[in-house]
Amino acid sequence: MKAPALPADEAIRLAQLRALNILHTPAEERFDRLTRLARRLFGVPVALVSLLEEDHQWFKSVAGQSAATAPRNTSFCGHAILQDDVMVVENALEDERFHDNPLVKTADHPVRFYAGCPLRTPSGAKVGTLCIVDHQAREFNEDDMHTLRDLAAMAEAELVAFQTATSDELTQITNRRGFMTLGQLALNECQVKQLPASLTFLDLDRFKAINDTLGHREGDRALMDFADAMKVSFRHADIFARLGGDEFVVLFNGLQHDDAEGVLARFDRFLQKQTQDLDRRYALHFSSGIVEFDPDQPQSLEQLLEGSDARMYEAKNGKKKLAQ
């Protein structure tokens, strides 16, 4: 078996994939109708919208099978994203890359035929495929390839639409809608796996003064600076978002309260250095309030947000009293 190589732009590709904010989100009809249509048009038992993570592929839409993930090192899609056009394997038993692949050798629904068209982000990164699978070898002609390309283009458009609906237009990080979806999914996983998590509101201090004295354009630049610092400081496992105005939030996946405090302290130091390096006419400071998620006594994301919001305002009021 030949495991798929990593693309030359793998780091950029993964960053753009994660920026879509679509990984591990619930099934959606707009993707499911494409895989159902692909099954009918090509008369195959399986059609997928597959996204390639670091070590596995995750299926945003599955028609004809039940698995939601599969290893990347045995995947056909891992090979497909290395190509610029549709990859066709008419008979996997006769292909040196796949003839001894576990998916081909299995006695239960073996892969014999595969065709996958890479799915690209607007920047051109190939993040996954729209693919079809058959348990029998078959031919795939040029008309078939045109049809698969057309379906893949529709899937790409849906990926962009999903990102637009869940991204903050100004800062290009997750918005409230995206955070409520992704955050609750992360908490559900923490509960199942008995993992800790912590959530904190971040509210900029004296942001109104920046708008009032320097103008709203400079205020927008301050918000973008803050979001850029979040992108650098927090882990891929963390979910951070702009909820609106000068309010931000971070869900620290797998971190307890004290560990989250340490991460926030490092974030604050980075933020101050970034502001100095950019030679801004203001300093950016924030108030925060951390609450911890207990998988044994789970709270909803809404409940955690309420608790964190209350603690953040306590901290902000404390700063105001000290300044008086």
Side-chain angles (χ1 to χ4, degrees):
M1 182 194 80
K2 183 178 180 180
L6 295 180
D9 65 342
E10 178 68 358
I12 297 172
R13 191 193 71 79
L14 287 173
Q16 292 193 25
L17 170 61
R18 290 160 183 161
L20 292 173
N21 291 327
I22 198 170
L23 291 171
H24 307 294
T25 55
E28 294 182 82
E29 173 60 22
R30 54 181 170 170
F31 290 98
D32 290 344
R33 65 172 172 254
L34 293 177
T35 51
R36 289 198 306 268
L37 181 59
R39 283 185 74 194
R40 289 198 300 270
L41 286 174
F42 296 108
V44 294
V46 178
L48 306 161
V49 172
S50 172
L51 300 173
L52 276 295
E53 253 282 26
E54 189 171 10
D55 59 358
H56 66 279
Q57 57 179 340
W58 175 75
F59 306 132
K60 175 58 182 174
S61 179
V62 181
Q65 71 177 47
S66 58
T69 64
R72 180 173 174 178
N73 63 351
T74 59
S75 72
F76 284 59
C77 297
H79 291 272
I81 65 167
L82 300 176
Q83 304 194 21
D84 292 327
D85 200 0
V86 177
M87 184 183 90
V88 178
V89 180
E90 293 188 339
N91 188 347
L93 289 173
E94 297 177 356
D95 192 305
E96 63 178 9
R97 296 168 296 178
F98 305 112
H99 68 92
D100 57 350
N101 186 296
L103 299 173
V104 177
K105 293 175 65 178
T106 181
D108 185 26
H109 304 304
V111 175
R112 290 290 180 269
F113 166 85
Y114 171 93
C117 185
L119 299 178
R120 294 171 172 83
T121 66
S123 299
K126 288 174 279 189
V127 294
T129 71
L130 176 69
C131 64
I132 55 175
V133 174
D134 202 340
H135 308 310
Q136 306 294 327
R138 58 184 292 168
E139 294 182 350
F140 202 71
N141 61 34
E142 192 60 36
D143 286 341
D144 293 329
M145 292 182 70
H146 279 306
T147 301
L148 190 60
R149 290 188 197 105
D150 289 343
L151 290 173
M154 295 171 66
E156 288 175 345
E158 295 296 356
L159 289 175
V160 173
F162 185 96
Q163 183 182 32
T164 301
T166 59
S167 295
D168 178 62
E169 184 176 0
L170 176 67
T171 62
Q172 297 302 300
I173 63 174
T174 303
N175 62 15
R176 176 183 285 272
R177 177 182 176 183
F179 181 78
M180 297 307 294
T181 299
L182 299 172
Q184 190 58 60
L185 287 170
L187 291 181
N188 294 344
E189 184 178 18
C190 286
Q191 183 179 354
V192 170
K193 296 182 178 179
Q194 290 291 290
L195 296 173
S198 297
L199 182 143
T200 183
F201 249 98
L202 302 176
D203 189 272
L204 291 180
D205 296 331
R206 297 183 57 77
F207 177 69
K208 185 175 183 297
I210 297 176
N211 277 332
D212 290 346
T213 59
L214 301 176
H216 288 282
R217 179 174 294 181
E218 196 66 33
D220 286 349
R221 180 180 292 175
L223 294 173
M224 289 188 285
D225 286 348
F226 194 83
D228 288 343
M230 297 178 85
K231 296 173 188 175
V232 173
S233 300
F234 300 134
R235 307 167 303 162
H236 289 310
D238 301 326
I239 301 171
F240 53 91
R242 181 188 178 205
L243 298 184
D246 60 349
E247 291 185 337
F248 296 79
V249 66
V250 188
L251 178 62
F252 296 105
N253 219 330
L255 296 187
Q256 296 177 324
H257 184 285
D258 291 347
D259 295 325
E261 277 195 336
V263 175
L264 276 184
R266 290 194 295 273
F267 168 66
D268 184 46
R269 290 193 294 271
F270 178 84
L271 181 65
Q272 304 317 312
K273 183 178 185 305
Q274 173 184 267
T275 305
Q276 292 173 5
D277 291 344
L278 293 172
D279 197 25
R280 300 298 191 224
R281 289 176 285 173
Y282 48 80
L284 286 179
H285 297 284
F286 60 88
S287 298
S288 61
I290 301 174
V291 292
E292 191 168 330
F293 174 78
D294 182 355
D296 291 322
Q297 295 180 313
Q299 291 181 294
S300 69
L301 185 59
E302 284 282 7
Q303 290 172 315
L304 291 177
L305 284 169
E306 290 177 8
S308 179
D309 191 32
R311 291 191 181 186
M312 181 274 294
Y313 274 106
E314 287 179 9
K316 186 175 284 286
N317 288 333
K319 289 181 181 180
K320 290 179 180 178
K321 290 179 182 178
L322 288 175
Q324 291 175 354

